[in-house]
Amino acid sequence: MDNTNPARKNTIRLEQWEVEFCNDLGISLQTYARQKSEDEKERIKHEQWLQTPAGATYMAKRRAAYEKRLARNRASAKALRAKRKEEKSACDL
């Protein structure tokens, strides 16, 4: 086995980590691999759903909510900075 290839070393480390992880949980590697495969299928299915009109609407709503929170946080931070600046200038007097 060629252990000089960095990519191969990372794969070996990952395999060792997976073995240790399965041992710690008390599950077999086959069970872990099956669950990992099912999770990957679910992720792909979800990404495909996001390409549908319903998924696009869902993401647009999430994006709008995120932008709203971001704007509120920015306004709050701006107000807090102004308040601190005002307090600092009051202390300097």
Side-chain angles (χ1 to χ4, degrees):
M1 180 168 30
D2 180 23
N3 287 334
T4 57
N5 182 349
R8 180 68 187 138
K9 285 183 180 180
N10 288 340
T11 302
I12 292 170
R13 280 193 212 110
L14 180 60
E15 290 167 354
Q16 290 169 346
W17 177 87
E18 288 176 328
V19 169
E20 291 171 9
F21 180 72
C22 290
N23 288 338
D24 290 346
L25 290 179
I27 61 173
S28 69
L29 278 170
Q30 291 81 10
T31 303
Y32 174 74
R34 185 172 41 252
Q35 184 61 47
K36 192 173 169 183
S37 173
E38 289 172 9
D39 290 347
E40 182 66 15
K41 287 177 190 172
E42 282 295 317
R43 185 190 63 75
I44 291 169
K45 193 169 142 183
H46 180 70
E47 286 183 3
Q48 289 172 342
W49 176 78
L50 288 175
Q51 302 303 317
T52 66
T57 301
Y58 167 78
M59 284 306 293
K61 286 180 181 178
R62 286 201 46 193
R63 195 173 300 111
Y66 169 76
E67 292 294 334
K68 187 176 177 182
R69 272 194 321 274
L70 191 61
R72 190 172 52 234
N73 289 344
R74 284 181 180 152
S76 176
K78 187 175 181 179
L80 187 59
R81 282 193 302 270
K83 182 180 175 186
R84 287 182 181 160
K85 187 175 182 180
E86 187 178 296
E87 288 173 354
K88 186 179 178 188
S89 65
C91 288
D92 290 342
L93 293 178

Coordinates of all heavy atoms in Angstrom, one line a residue:
M1 N 0.8 -1.2 0.0 CA 0.0 0.0 0.0 C 0.9 1.2 0.0 O 1.8 1.3 0.8 CB -0.9 0.0 1.2 CG -1.8 1.2 1.3 SD -3.1 1.1 2.5 CE -2.6 0.1 3.8
D2 N 0.6 2.2 -0.8 CA 1.3 3.4 -1.0 C 0.8 4.5 0.0 O -0.2 5.1 -0.2 CB 1.2 3.9 -2.4 CG 2.0 5.2 -2.7 OD1 3.0 5.4 -1.9 OD2 1.7 5.9 -3.6
N3 N 1.5 4.7 1.1 CA 1.1 5.7 2.1 C 1.8 7.1 1.8 O 1.6 8.0 2.7 CB 1.5 5.2 3.5 CG 0.5 4.1 3.9 OD1 -0.6 4.0 3.4 ND2 1.0 3.3 4.8
T4 N 2.5 7.3 0.7 CA 3.1 8.5 0.5 C 2.2 9.5 -0.2 O 2.4 10.7 -0.1 CB 4.3 8.4 -0.5 OG1 3.9 7.7 -1.7 CG2 5.4 7.5 0.2
N5 N 1.1 9.1 -0.8 CA 0.1 9.9 -1.4 C -0.8 10.6 -0.3 O -1.4 9.9 0.5 CB -0.8 9.1 -2.3 CG -1.9 9.9 -3.0 OD1 -2.1 11.1 -2.7 ND2 -2.5 9.3 -4.0
P6 N -0.7 11.9 -0.2 CA -1.5 12.6 0.9 C -3.0 12.3 0.8 O -3.6 12.2 1.9 CB -1.2 14.1 0.6 CG -0.1 14.2 -0.3 CD 0.0 12.9 -1.0
A7 N -3.5 12.2 -0.4 CA -5.0 11.9 -0.4 C -5.3 10.5 0.1 O -6.3 10.3 0.8 CB -5.4 12.0 -1.9
R8 N -4.4 9.6 -0.1 CA -4.6 8.2 0.4 C -4.4 8.3 1.9 O -5.1 7.6 2.6 CB -3.5 7.3 -0.2 CG -3.6 5.9 0.2 CD -4.9 5.2 -0.2 NE -5.1 3.9 0.4 CZ -6.2 3.4 1.0 NH1 -7.3 4.1 0.9 NH2 -6.2 2.3 1.5
K9 N -3.5 9.0 2.4 CA -3.3 9.1 3.9 C -4.6 9.7 4.5 O -5.0 9.2 5.6 CB -2.1 10.0 4.2 CG -0.8 9.4 4.0 CD 0.3 10.4 4.4 CE 1.7 9.8 4.2 NZ 2.7 10.7 4.7
N10 N -5.2 10.7 3.9 CA -6.4 11.2 4.4 C -7.5 10.2 4.4 O -8.3 10.1 5.3 CB -6.9 12.5 3.7 CG -6.0 13.7 3.9 OD1 -5.3 13.7 5.0 ND2 -6.0 14.6 3.1
T11 N -7.6 9.4 3.3 CA -8.6 8.3 3.3 C -8.4 7.3 4.4 O -9.3 6.9 5.0 CB -8.5 7.7 1.9 OG1 -8.7 8.6 0.9 CG2 -9.6 6.6 1.7
I12 N -7.1 7.0 4.6 CA -6.8 6.0 5.6 C -7.2 6.6 7.0 O -7.8 5.9 7.8 CB -5.3 5.6 5.6 CG1 -5.0 4.8 4.4 CG2 -4.9 4.8 6.9 CD1 -3.5 4.6 4.1
R13 N -6.9 7.8 7.2 CA -7.3 8.5 8.5 C -8.8 8.5 8.6 O -9.3 8.2 9.7 CB -6.8 9.9 8.6 CG -5.4 10.0 9.0 CD -5.0 11.4 9.3 NE -3.6 11.6 9.0 CZ -3.1 12.4 8.0 NH1 -4.0 13.0 7.2 NH2 -1.9 12.5 7.7
L14 N -9.5 8.8 7.6 CA -11.0 8.8 7.6 C -11.5 7.4 7.9 O -12.4 7.2 8.8 CB -11.6 9.3 6.3 CG -13.1 9.4 6.2 CD1 -13.6 10.3 7.3 CD2 -13.5 9.8 4.9
E15 N -11.0 6.4 7.3 CA -11.4 5.0 7.5 C -11.1 4.6 9.0 O -12.0 4.0 9.6 CB -10.7 4.1 6.6 CG -11.1 4.2 5.1 CD -10.2 3.5 4.2 OE1 -9.2 2.9 4.6 OE2 -10.5 3.4 3.0
Q16 N -10.0 5.0 9.5 CA -9.7 4.7 10.9 C -10.7 5.5 11.8 O -11.1 4.9 12.8 CB -8.2 5.1 11.2 CG -7.2 4.2 10.6 CD -5.8 4.8 10.7 OE1 -5.6 5.9 11.0 NE2 -4.8 3.9 10.4
W17 N -11.0 6.7 11.5 CA -11.9 7.5 12.3 C -13.3 6.8 12.3 O -13.9 6.7 13.3 CB -12.0 8.9 11.7 CG -13.0 9.7 12.5 CD1 -12.8 10.4 13.6 CD2 -14.4 9.9 12.2 NE1 -14.0 11.0 14.0 CE2 -15.0 10.7 13.1 CE3 -15.2 9.4 11.1 CZ2 -16.3 11.1 13.1 CZ3 -16.6 9.8 11.1 CH2 -17.1 10.6 12.1
E18 N -13.7 6.4 11.1 CA -15.0 5.7 11.0 C -15.1 4.4 11.8 O -16.1 4.1 12.4 CB -15.4 5.4 9.5 CG -15.7 6.7 8.7 CD -15.9 6.4 7.2 OE1 -15.3 5.5 6.7 OE2 -16.8 7.2 6.7
V19 N -14.0 3.7 11.8 CA -13.9 2.4 12.5 C -14.0 2.8 14.0 O -14.8 2.1 14.8 CB -12.6 1.6 12.2 CG1 -12.4 0.5 13.2 CG2 -12.7 1.1 10.8
E20 N -13.3 3.7 14.5 CA -13.3 4.1 15.9 C -14.7 4.7 16.3 O -15.2 4.4 17.3 CB -12.2 5.2 16.2 CG -10.8 4.6 16.1 CD -9.8 5.7 16.2 OE1 -10.1 6.9 16.4 OE2 -8.6 5.4 15.9
F21 N -15.3 5.5 15.4 CA -16.6 6.0 15.6 C -17.6 4.9 15.8 O -18.4 4.9 16.7 CB -17.0 6.9 14.5 CG -18.3 7.6 14.6 CD1 -18.5 8.6 15.5 CD2 -19.3 7.2 13.7 CE1 -19.8 9.2 15.6 CE2 -20.6 7.8 13.8 CZ -20.8 8.8 14.7
C22 N -17.6 3.9 14.9 CA -18.5 2.8 15.0 C -18.3 2.0 16.2 O -19.3 1.6 16.9 CB -18.4 1.9 13.7 SG -19.0 2.7 12.2
N23 N -17.1 1.8 16.6 CA -16.8 1.0 17.8 C -17.3 1.8 19.0 O -17.8 1.1 19.9 CB -15.3 0.8 17.9 CG -14.8 -0.3 16.9 OD1 -15.5 -1.1 16.4 ND2 -13.5 -0.2 16.7
D24 N -17.1 3.1 19.0 CA -17.6 3.9 20.2 C -19.1 3.8 20.3 O -19.6 3.8 21.4 CB -17.2 5.3 20.0 CG -15.7 5.5 20.2 OD1 -15.0 4.6 20.8 OD2 -15.2 6.6 19.9
L25 N -19.8 3.8 19.2 CA -21.3 3.7 19.2 C -21.8 2.3 19.3 O -22.9 2.1 19.6 CB -21.8 4.3 17.9 CG -21.7 5.8 17.7 CD1 -22.3 6.2 16.4 CD2 -22.4 6.6 18.8
G26 N -20.9 1.3 19.1 CA -21.3 -0.1 19.2 C -22.1 -0.5 18.0 O -23.0 -1.3 18.1
I27 N -21.9 0.1 16.8 CA -22.6 -0.3 15.6 C -21.6 -0.9 14.6 O -20.4 -0.7 14.7 CB -23.4 0.8 15.0 CG1 -22.4 2.0 14.6 CG2 -24.4 1.3 15.9 CD1 -23.1 3.1 13.8
S28 N -22.1 -1.7 13.7 CA -21.2 -2.2 12.7 C -20.9 -1.2 11.6 O -21.6 -0.3 11.4 CB -21.8 -3.5 12.0 OG -22.9 -3.1 11.3
L29 N -19.8 -1.4 10.9 CA -19.4 -0.6 9.8 C -20.5 -0.6 8.7 O -20.8 0.4 8.0 CB -18.1 -1.0 9.2 CG -16.9 -0.4 10.0 CD1 -15.6 -1.0 9.5 CD2 -16.8 1.1 9.8
Q30 N -21.1 -1.8 8.5 CA -22.1 -2.0 7.5 C -23.3 -1.1 7.8 O -23.9 -0.4 6.9 CB -22.6 -3.4 7.4 CG -21.5 -4.3 6.8 CD -20.5 -4.8 7.8 OE1 -20.7 -4.6 9.0 NE2 -19.4 -5.4 7.3
T31 N -23.8 -1.1 9.1 CA -24.9 -0.2 9.5 C -24.5 1.3 9.3 O -25.4 2.0 8.8 CB -25.2 -0.5 11.0 OG1 -25.5 -1.8 11.2 CG2 -26.4 0.4 11.4
Y32 N -23.3 1.6 9.6 CA -22.9 3.0 9.4 C -22.9 3.4 7.9 O -23.4 4.4 7.6 CB -21.5 3.2 10.0 CG -20.9 4.5 9.8 CD1 -21.3 5.7 10.4 CD2 -19.8 4.7 8.9 CE1 -20.8 6.9 10.2 CE2 -19.3 5.9 8.6 CZ -19.7 7.0 9.3 OH -19.2 8.3 9.1
A33 N -22.4 2.5 7.1 CA -22.3 2.8 5.7 C -23.7 2.9 5.1 O -24.0 3.7 4.2 CB -21.5 1.7 5.0
R34 N -24.6 2.0 5.5 CA -26.0 2.0 5.0 C -26.7 3.4 5.4 O -27.3 4.0 4.6 CB -26.8 0.8 5.6 CG -28.2 0.7 5.0 CD -28.9 -0.6 5.4 NE -28.7 -1.0 6.8 CZ -27.9 -2.0 7.2 NH1 -27.3 -2.8 6.3 NH2 -27.8 -2.3 8.5
Q35 N -26.5 3.8 6.7 CA -27.1 5.0 7.1 C -26.5 6.2 6.3 O -27.2 7.1 5.9 CB -26.9 5.2 8.6 CG -27.5 6.5 9.2 CD -29.0 6.5 9.0 OE1 -29.7 5.5 9.3 NE2 -29.6 7.6 8.5
K36 N -25.2 6.2 6.1 CA -24.5 7.2 5.4 C -25.0 7.3 4.0 O -25.3 8.4 3.4 CB -23.0 6.9 5.4 CG -22.1 8.0 4.9 CD -20.6 7.6 5.2 CE -19.7 8.5 4.5 NZ -18.3 8.1 4.6
S37 N -25.3 6.2 3.3 CA -25.8 6.1 2.0 C -27.2 6.7 2.0 O -27.6 7.4 1.1 CB -25.8 4.7 1.5 OG -26.5 4.6 0.3
E38 N -28.0 6.3 3.0 CA -29.4 6.8 3.0 C -29.4 8.3 3.2 O -30.2 9.0 2.6 CB -30.2 6.1 4.2 CG -30.5 4.7 3.9 CD -31.1 4.0 5.1 OE1 -31.4 4.6 6.1 OE2 -31.2 2.7 5.0
D39 N -28.5 8.8 4.1 CA -28.4 10.3 4.3 C -28.0 11.0 3.0 O -28.6 12.1 2.7 CB -27.4 10.6 5.4 CG -27.8 10.1 6.8 OD1 -29.0 9.8 7.0 OD2 -27.0 10.1 7.7
E40 N -27.1 10.4 2.3 CA -26.7 11.0 1.0 C -27.9 11.1 0.0 O -28.1 12.1 -0.7 CB -25.6 10.3 0.4 CG -25.0 10.8 -0.9 CD -24.4 12.2 -0.7 OE1 -24.1 12.6 0.4 OE2 -24.2 12.8 -1.8
K41 N -28.7 10.0 0.0 CA -29.9 10.0 -0.9 C -30.9 11.0 -0.5 O -31.5 11.7 -1.3 CB -30.5 8.6 -0.8 CG -29.8 7.5 -1.6 CD -30.5 6.2 -1.4 CE -29.6 5.0 -1.9 NZ -30.2 3.7 -1.6
E42 N -31.1 11.2 0.8 CA -32.0 12.2 1.3 C -31.5 13.6 1.0 O -32.3 14.5 0.6 CB -32.2 12.1 2.8 CG -33.1 11.0 3.3 CD -34.5 11.2 2.8 OE1 -35.0 12.4 2.9 OE2 -35.1 10.3 2.3
R43 N -30.2 13.8 1.1 CA -29.6 15.2 0.7 C -29.9 15.5 -0.7 O -30.3 16.6 -1.1 CB -28.1 15.2 1.1 CG -27.5 16.5 0.9 CD -26.0 16.5 1.0 NE -25.4 15.6 -0.1 CZ -25.2 16.0 -1.4 NH1 -25.7 17.2 -1.8 NH2 -24.7 15.2 -2.3
I44 N -29.6 14.5 -1.6 CA -29.8 14.7 -3.0 C -31.3 14.9 -3.3 O -31.6 15.8 -4.1 CB -29.3 13.4 -3.8 CG1 -27.8 13.4 -3.7 CG2 -29.8 13.5 -5.3 CD1 -27.2 12.1 -4.2
K45 N -32.2 14.2 -2.7 CA -33.6 14.4 -2.9 C -34.0 15.8 -2.5 O -34.8 16.4 -3.1 CB -34.3 13.3 -2.0 CG -35.8 13.2 -2.4 CD -36.3 11.9 -1.6 CE -37.7 12.1 -1.1 NZ -38.1 10.9 -0.4
H46 N -33.5 16.2 -1.3 CA -33.8 17.6 -0.8 C -33.3 18.7 -1.8 O -34.0 19.6 -2.1 CB -33.2 17.8 0.5 CG -33.4 19.2 1.1 ND1 -34.7 19.5 1.5 CD2 -32.6 20.2 1.3 CE1 -34.6 20.8 2.0 NE2 -33.4 21.2 1.8
E47 N -32.1 18.5 -2.4 CA -31.5 19.4 -3.3 C -32.4 19.5 -4.6 O -32.6 20.5 -5.2 CB -30.1 19.1 -3.6 CG -29.1 19.5 -2.5 CD -27.7 19.2 -2.8 OE1 -27.4 18.8 -4.0 OE2 -26.9 19.4 -1.9
Q48 N -32.9 18.3 -5.0 CA -33.7 18.3 -6.2 C -35.1 19.0 -5.9 O -35.6 19.7 -6.7 CB -34.0 16.8 -6.6 CG -32.8 16.2 -7.2 CD -33.0 14.7 -7.5 OE1 -33.9 14.0 -6.9 NE2 -32.1 14.1 -8.3
W49 N -35.6 18.8 -4.7 CA -36.8 19.4 -4.3 C -36.7 21.0 -4.3 O -37.6 21.7 -4.7 CB -37.3 19.0 -2.9 CG -38.5 19.7 -2.4 CD1 -39.8 19.5 -2.8 CD2 -38.6 20.8 -1.5 NE1 -40.7 20.3 -2.2 CE2 -39.9 21.2 -1.4 CE3 -37.6 21.5 -0.8 CZ2 -40.3 22.2 -0.6 CZ3 -38.0 22.5 0.1 CH2 -39.4 22.8 0.2
L50 N -35.5 21.4 -3.9 CA -35.2 22.9 -3.9 C -35.3 23.5 -5.3 O -35.5 24.7 -5.4 CB -33.9 23.2 -3.2 CG -33.8 23.0 -1.7 CD1 -32.4 23.2 -1.2 CD2 -34.8 23.9 -1.0
Q51 N -35.1 22.6 -6.3 CA -35.2 23.1 -7.7 C -36.6 23.2 -8.2 O -36.9 23.8 -9.2 CB -34.4 22.2 -8.6 CG -32.9 22.0 -8.2 CD -32.2 23.3 -8.2 OE1 -32.3 24.1 -9.1 NE2 -31.4 23.5 -7.2
T52 N -37.6 22.7 -7.4 CA -39.0 22.8 -7.8 C -39.5 24.2 -7.5 O -38.9 24.9 -6.6 CB -39.8 21.7 -7.1 OG1 -39.9 22.0 -5.7 CG2 -39.3 20.3 -7.4
P53 N -40.7 24.6 -8.0 CA -41.3 25.8 -7.6 C -41.6 26.0 -6.1 O -41.3 27.0 -5.5 CB -42.6 25.9 -8.4 CG -42.3 25.0 -9.6 CD -41.4 23.9 -9.1
A54 N -42.0 24.9 -5.5 CA -42.3 24.9 -4.1 C -41.0 25.1 -3.3 O -41.0 25.9 -2.3 CB -43.0 23.6 -3.6
G55 N -39.9 24.4 -3.7 CA -38.6 24.6 -3.1 C -38.1 26.0 -3.2 O -37.5 26.6 -2.3
A56 N -38.3 26.5 -4.4 CA -37.8 27.9 -4.7 C -38.5 28.9 -3.8 O -37.9 29.8 -3.2 CB -38.0 28.3 -6.1
T57 N -39.8 28.7 -3.6 CA -40.7 29.6 -2.8 C -40.2 29.5 -1.3 O -40.0 30.5 -0.6 CB -42.1 29.2 -2.9 OG1 -42.6 29.3 -4.2 CG2 -43.0 30.1 -2.0
Y58 N -39.9 28.2 -0.9 CA -39.5 28.0 0.5 C -38.1 28.7 0.7 O -38.0 29.4 1.7 CB -39.3 26.5 0.7 CG -38.5 26.1 1.9 CD1 -39.1 26.1 3.2 CD2 -37.2 25.7 1.8 CE1 -38.4 25.7 4.3 CE2 -36.5 25.3 2.9 CZ -37.1 25.3 4.2 OH -36.4 25.0 5.3
M59 N -37.2 28.6 -0.2 CA -35.9 29.3 -0.1 C -36.0 30.8 -0.1 O -35.4 31.5 0.6 CB -34.9 28.8 -1.1 CG -34.4 27.4 -0.9 SD -33.6 27.2 0.8 CE -32.2 28.3 0.6
A60 N -37.0 31.3 -1.0 CA -37.2 32.7 -1.0 C -37.7 33.3 0.3 O -37.2 34.3 0.8 CB -38.1 33.1 -2.2
K61 N -38.6 32.5 0.9 CA -39.1 32.9 2.2 C -38.0 32.9 3.3 O -37.9 33.8 4.1 CB -40.3 32.0 2.7 CG -41.5 32.3 1.9 CD -42.6 31.4 2.4 CE -43.9 31.7 1.6 NZ -45.0 30.7 2.0
R62 N -37.2 31.9 3.3 CA -36.1 31.8 4.2 C -35.1 32.9 4.0 O -34.6 33.5 5.0 CB -35.4 30.4 4.1 CG -36.2 29.3 4.7 CD -35.4 28.1 5.0 NE -34.2 28.4 5.7 CZ -33.2 27.5 5.9 NH1 -33.4 26.3 5.5 NH2 -32.2 27.8 6.6
R63 N -34.8 33.2 2.7 CA -33.8 34.2 2.4 C -34.4 35.6 2.9 O -33.7 36.4 3.4 CB -33.6 34.3 0.9 CG -32.4 35.1 0.5 CD -32.0 34.9 -1.0 NE -31.7 33.6 -1.4 CZ -32.5 32.8 -2.2 NH1 -33.6 33.3 -2.7 NH2 -32.2 31.6 -2.5
A64 N -35.7 35.8 2.7 CA -36.3 37.1 3.1 C -36.3 37.2 4.6 O -35.9 38.3 5.2 CB -37.7 37.2 2.6
A65 N -36.5 36.1 5.3 CA -36.5 36.1 6.8 C -35.0 36.4 7.3 O -34.8 37.2 8.2 CB -37.0 34.8 7.4
Y66 N -34.1 35.8 6.6 CA -32.7 36.0 6.9 C -32.3 37.5 6.7 O -31.6 38.1 7.6 CB -31.8 35.1 6.1 CG -30.3 35.4 6.1 CD1 -29.6 35.1 7.3 CD2 -29.7 36.1 5.1 CE1 -28.2 35.4 7.3 CE2 -28.3 36.5 5.2 CZ -27.6 36.1 6.3 OH -26.3 36.4 6.4
E67 N -32.7 38.0 5.6 CA -32.4 39.5 5.3 C -33.0 40.4 6.3 O -32.4 41.4 6.7 CB -32.8 39.8 3.9 CG -32.1 39.1 2.7 CD -30.6 39.5 2.7 OE1 -30.3 40.7 3.1 OE2 -29.8 38.7 2.2
K68 N -34.2 40.0 6.7 CA -34.9 40.9 7.7 C -34.2 40.8 9.0 O -34.0 41.9 9.7 CB -36.3 40.3 7.9 CG -37.2 41.1 8.8 CD -38.6 40.6 8.8 CE -39.5 41.3 9.7 NZ -40.9 40.7 9.8
R69 N -33.8 39.6 9.5 CA -33.0 39.5 10.7 C -31.7 40.2 10.6 O -31.2 40.9 11.5 CB -32.7 38.0 11.0 CG -33.7 37.3 11.8 CD -33.2 36.0 12.3 NE -32.4 35.2 11.5 CZ -32.8 34.3 10.5 NH1 -34.1 34.2 10.3 NH2 -32.0 33.7 9.8
L70 N -31.0 40.1 9.5 CA -29.7 40.8 9.2 C -29.9 42.3 9.3 O -29.1 43.0 10.0 CB -29.2 40.4 7.9 CG -27.7 40.8 7.6 CD1 -26.8 40.1 8.6 CD2 -27.4 40.3 6.2
A71 N -30.9 42.8 8.7 CA -31.2 44.3 8.8 C -31.5 44.7 10.2 O -31.0 45.8 10.6 CB -32.3 44.6 7.8
R72 N -32.2 43.9 10.9 CA -32.6 44.3 12.3 C -31.3 44.3 13.1 O -31.1 45.2 14.0 CB -33.6 43.3 12.8 CG -34.2 43.7 14.1 CD -35.4 42.8 14.6 NE -35.0 41.4 14.5 CZ -35.7 40.5 13.8 NH1 -36.8 40.8 13.1 NH2 -35.4 39.2 13.9
N73 N -30.4 43.3 12.9 CA -29.2 43.2 13.7 C -28.3 44.3 13.4 O -27.6 44.9 14.3 CB -28.5 41.8 13.4 CG -29.2 40.7 14.1 OD1 -30.1 40.9 14.9 ND2 -28.9 39.5 13.6
R74 N -28.2 44.7 12.1 CA -27.3 45.8 11.7 C -27.8 47.1 12.4 O -27.0 47.9 12.8 CB -27.3 46.0 10.2 CG -26.4 45.0 9.5 CD -26.4 45.2 8.0 NE -25.6 44.2 7.4 CZ -25.7 43.8 6.2 NH1 -26.7 44.2 5.4 NH2 -24.9 42.9 5.7
A75 N -29.1 47.3 12.3 CA -29.7 48.5 12.9 C -29.5 48.6 14.4 O -29.1 49.6 15.0 CB -31.2 48.6 12.6
S76 N -29.6 47.4 15.1 CA -29.4 47.3 16.5 C -27.9 47.6 16.8 O -27.6 48.4 17.7 CB -29.7 45.9 17.0 OG -29.4 45.8 18.3
A77 N -27.0 47.1 16.0 CA -25.6 47.3 16.2 C -25.2 48.8 16.0 O -24.4 49.4 16.7 CB -24.7 46.4 15.3
K78 N -25.8 49.4 15.0 CA -25.6 50.8 14.7 C -26.0 51.7 15.8 O -25.4 52.6 16.3 CB -26.3 51.2 13.4 CG -26.0 52.6 12.9 CD -26.6 52.8 11.5 CE -26.3 54.2 11.0 NZ -26.9 54.4 9.7
A79 N -27.2 51.3 16.4 CA -27.8 52.1 17.5 C -26.9 51.9 18.7 O -26.6 52.9 19.5 CB -29.2 51.6 17.8
L80 N -26.4 50.7 19.0 CA -25.5 50.5 20.1 C -24.2 51.2 20.0 O -23.7 51.8 21.0 CB -25.3 49.0 20.2 CG -24.5 48.5 21.4 CD1 -25.3 48.9 22.7 CD2 -24.3 47.0 21.4
R81 N -23.6 51.2 18.8 CA -22.4 52.0 18.6 C -22.6 53.5 18.8 O -21.8 54.2 19.4 CB -21.9 51.8 17.2 CG -21.2 50.5 17.0 CD -20.4 50.4 15.7 NE -21.2 50.6 14.5 CZ -21.8 49.7 13.8 NH1 -21.7 48.4 14.2 NH2 -22.6 49.9 12.8
A82 N -23.8 54.0 18.3 CA -24.1 55.4 18.5 C -24.2 55.7 20.0 O -23.8 56.8 20.5 CB -25.3 55.8 17.8
K83 N -24.9 54.8 20.7 CA -25.1 55.0 22.2 C -23.8 55.0 22.9 O -23.5 55.9 23.8 CB -26.0 53.9 22.7 CG -26.3 54.0 24.2 CD -27.3 52.9 24.6 CE -27.5 52.9 26.1 NZ -28.2 51.7 26.6
R84 N -22.9 54.1 22.6 CA -21.6 54.0 23.2 C -20.8 55.3 22.9 O -20.1 55.8 23.8 CB -20.8 52.8 22.8 CG -21.3 51.5 23.4 CD -20.5 50.3 22.9 NE -21.1 49.1 23.5 CZ -20.8 47.9 22.9 NH1 -20.1 47.8 21.9 NH2 -21.3 46.8 23.5
K85 N -20.8 55.7 21.7 CA -20.1 56.9 21.3 C -20.6 58.1 22.1 O -19.8 59.0 22.6 CB -20.3 57.2 19.8 CG -19.4 58.3 19.2 CD -19.6 58.4 17.7 CE -18.7 59.5 17.2 NZ -18.8 59.6 15.7
E86 N -21.9 58.2 22.2 CA -22.6 59.3 23.0 C -22.1 59.2 24.5 O -21.8 60.2 25.1 CB -24.1 59.1 22.9 CG -24.9 60.3 23.5 CD -26.4 60.1 23.3 OE1 -26.8 60.1 22.1 OE2 -27.0 59.9 24.3
E87 N -22.1 58.0 25.0 CA -21.7 57.8 26.4 C -20.2 58.2 26.6 O -19.9 58.8 27.6 CB -21.9 56.4 26.9 CG -23.4 56.0 27.1 CD -23.6 54.6 27.4 OE1 -22.6 53.8 27.3 OE2 -24.7 54.2 27.6
K88 N -19.4 57.8 25.6 CA -18.0 58.2 25.7 C -17.8 59.7 25.6 O -17.0 60.2 26.4 CB -17.2 57.5 24.6 CG -15.8 57.6 24.7 CD -15.0 56.9 23.6 CE -13.5 57.2 23.7 NZ -12.8 56.7 22.5
S89 N -18.5 60.3 24.7 CA -18.3 61.8 24.6 C -18.9 62.5 25.9 O -18.4 63.5 26.3 CB -19.0 62.3 23.4 OG -20.4 62.1 23.5
A90 N -19.9 61.9 26.5 CA -20.4 62.5 27.8 C -19.4 62.3 28.9 O -19.3 63.2 29.7 CB -21.7 61.8 28.1
C91 N -18.7 61.2 28.9 CA -17.7 61.0 29.9 C -16.5 61.9 29.7 O -15.8 62.2 30.7 CB -17.2 59.5 29.9 SG -18.4 58.4 30.5
D92 N -16.2 62.2 28.5 CA -15.0 63.0 28.2 C -15.2 64.5 28.6 O -14.3 65.2 28.8 CB -14.7 63.0 26.7 CG -14.2 61.7 26.2 OD1 -13.7 60.9 27.1 OD2 -14.2 61.3 25.0
L93 N -16.5 64.9 28.8 CA -16.7 66.3 29.2 C -16.4 66.5 30.6 O -16.1 66.5 31.5 CB -18.2 66.6 29.0 CG -18.7 66.6 27.5 CD1 -20.2 66.9 27.5 CD2 -17.9 67.7 26.7

